[in-house]
Amino acid sequence: MLLGRDTIDAHRVFDQVIGPPGAPFAQRLGLGWAVVGELCLGEIHAQDTVNVNKTYLLSNGRTSLFKPCDSKVQVSDVDQKSYAYDPVFVKTVDDDKPSLSVQDRDFLQIMETNFHTDASGRWFAPLPFKSPRQRLPNNRELAVKRAQSLDASLRKNPVKKQHFVDFMAKIFQKGHAEVAPPLRPGEECWYLPIFGVYHPQKPDQIRGVFDSSAKYQNISLNSVLLRGPDLTNSLLGILIRFRREPVAITADIEQMFYCFLVEERHRNFLRFFWYAHNDPSKQLIEYRMQVQVFGNSPSP
């Protein structure tokens, strides 16, 4: 049996060199030259016969030139439950499910350690930074330019400007953002540019998106955050489960990410520019988010 003979292109002969009858011959294949026949191994020939004075007796009574295994390890098909230990190739229901990556495990460890509630019952979660990671540069310059560009765009579209102001009013009223305190000298921070998007079915409502993927000096906030495992349910599984019961219920949690606060030590990584007192006639000042934002890759 010639292994790989079904790979036609690997055995296609492009050239051939032959000698007298019984002599080895060479063929040039796609992978290089191959020699067919017996060749010298250095200055000696392969041995045709082997003479020995010692043989081994196997457990089945046969003789052999090979030494039997001292550890008595054999492969057999038996009930795995009869063993006191788990065999290497045990089959489980999770065999076809994707395993957690190293970064997914790091993410879960961070959340398991730092996820907590305060006395009022509010949930706090850290920003899951990668370790090790490079220090974030101060991208204030980029954020200022993006904020000025958004300001110019809103001045040209009064309707969009009012929608954006209404959206930000809810952010401030619910305590999701606060005026950013001054930074200490050399303190690490990050600014999030913001922009607005409309839902096709809600033309009179705008959602402000904090752009965590915006790059400055070839780095973004999302590039230094752990994304975490994908916990999204399979669409196929969702559709199949509709057949299990007579009634299906769907619900939408309003601003779900905003229900989870960010730890105090990480809020300076969520700074942004907006109008003072949410008044477009006033100057742009620095705010910072106190909750998990939609633009962060680990928020889901």
Side-chain angles (χ1 to χ4, degrees):
M1 180 174 62
L2 180 59
L3 297 179
R5 197 62 176 177
D6 56 336
T7 308
I8 305 301
D9 292 338
H11 294 276
R12 190 181 302 276
V13 178
F14 297 99
D15 193 5
Q16 182 169 271
V17 178
I18 61 175
F25 63 93
Q27 294 178 334
R28 185 169 66 85
L29 310 177
L31 299 176
W33 283 94
V35 178
V36 181
E38 183 181 354
L39 296 176
C40 296
L41 302 177
E43 298 179 352
I44 61 175
H45 289 276
Q47 189 73 8
D48 294 331
T49 59
V50 178
N51 296 324
V52 296
N53 296 322
K54 181 179 180 181
T55 59
Y56 295 96
L57 186 65
L58 303 181
S59 59
N60 58 6
R62 293 180 55 187
T63 58
S64 174
L65 299 177
F66 299 98
K67 183 179 179 180
C69 178
D70 295 331
S71 59
K72 305 298 182 183
V73 176
Q74 297 181 357
V75 178
S76 61
D77 186 11
V78 297
D79 185 7
Q80 296 174 349
K81 295 181 180 179
S82 63
Y83 286 97
Y85 60 91
D86 290 332
V88 177
F89 298 106
V90 62
K91 293 183 178 180
T92 68
V93 295
D94 297 326
D95 284 349
D96 295 329
K97 297 180 180 179
S99 178
L100 295 175
S101 67
V102 174
Q103 289 192 346
D104 288 344
R105 297 179 190 276
D106 291 342
F107 174 90
L108 294 176
Q109 178 62 33
I110 293 174
M111 291 301 164
E112 189 72 21
T113 305
N114 298 284
F115 217 84
H116 64 279
T117 59
D118 62 4
S120 64
R122 297 181 302 175
W123 284 97
F124 286 78
L127 293 181
F129 285 104
K130 296 178 181 179
S131 180
R133 68 172 177 88
Q134 65 183 102
R135 180 183 174 87
L136 289 171
N138 191 326
N139 68 330
R140 189 178 190 278
E141 176 185 2
L142 171 65
V144 170
K145 291 181 180 180
R146 289 281 297 268
Q148 292 173 344
S149 176
L150 176 63
D151 174 58
S153 174
L154 295 180
R155 293 185 185 279
K156 297 177 182 179
N157 190 335
V159 175
K160 181 179 180 180
K161 178 175 66 175
Q162 186 58 48
H163 290 168
F164 220 131
V165 169
D166 293 341
F167 174 85
M168 295 303 295
K170 296 180 181 179
I171 296 292
F172 297 124
Q173 289 171 3
K174 296 180 179 180
H176 294 162
E178 63 180 355
V179 177
L183 292 168
R184 298 187 299 271
E187 184 177 5
E188 188 179 16
C189 65
W190 187 261
Y191 292 84
L192 297 174
I194 57 176
F195 61 92
V197 294
Y198 283 100
H199 192 283
Q201 298 179 358
K202 301 176 182 179
D204 57 341
Q205 295 182 18
I206 197 172
R207 170 180 289 181
V209 178
F210 295 85
D211 192 359
S212 303
S213 297
K215 290 188 174 182
Y216 179 75
Q217 295 182 5
N218 203 31
I219 189 173
S220 68
L221 180 62
N222 277 340
S223 66
V224 297
L225 292 177
L226 294 170
R227 187 180 184 88
D230 183 6
L231 302 179
T232 304
N233 286 324
S234 167
L235 180 59
L236 177 61
I238 294 175
L239 296 177
I240 291 178
R241 284 196 294 275
F242 269 89
R243 300 170 58 90
R244 297 181 60 181
E245 304 291 344
V247 179
I249 299 177
T250 181
D252 182 18
I253 302 176
E254 183 179 6
Q255 296 183 334
M256 181 178 64
F257 296 165
Y258 291 168
C259 296
F260 298 89
L261 283 80
V262 178
E263 291 184 350
E264 176 75 22
R265 59 192 174 98
H266 287 162
R267 292 179 184 176
N268 279 332
F269 294 100
L270 305 177
R271 301 172 78 97
F272 65 97
F273 285 94
W274 188 248
Y275 305 111
H277 305 293
N278 197 29
D279 185 352
S281 64
K282 298 185 181 298
Q283 64 178 354
L284 295 168
I285 64 173
E286 293 187 24
Y287 292 89
R288 68 177 186 180
M289 294 296 290
Q290 300 188 82
V291 295
Q292 304 290 338
V293 299
F294 286 89
N296 284 2
S297 58
S299 291

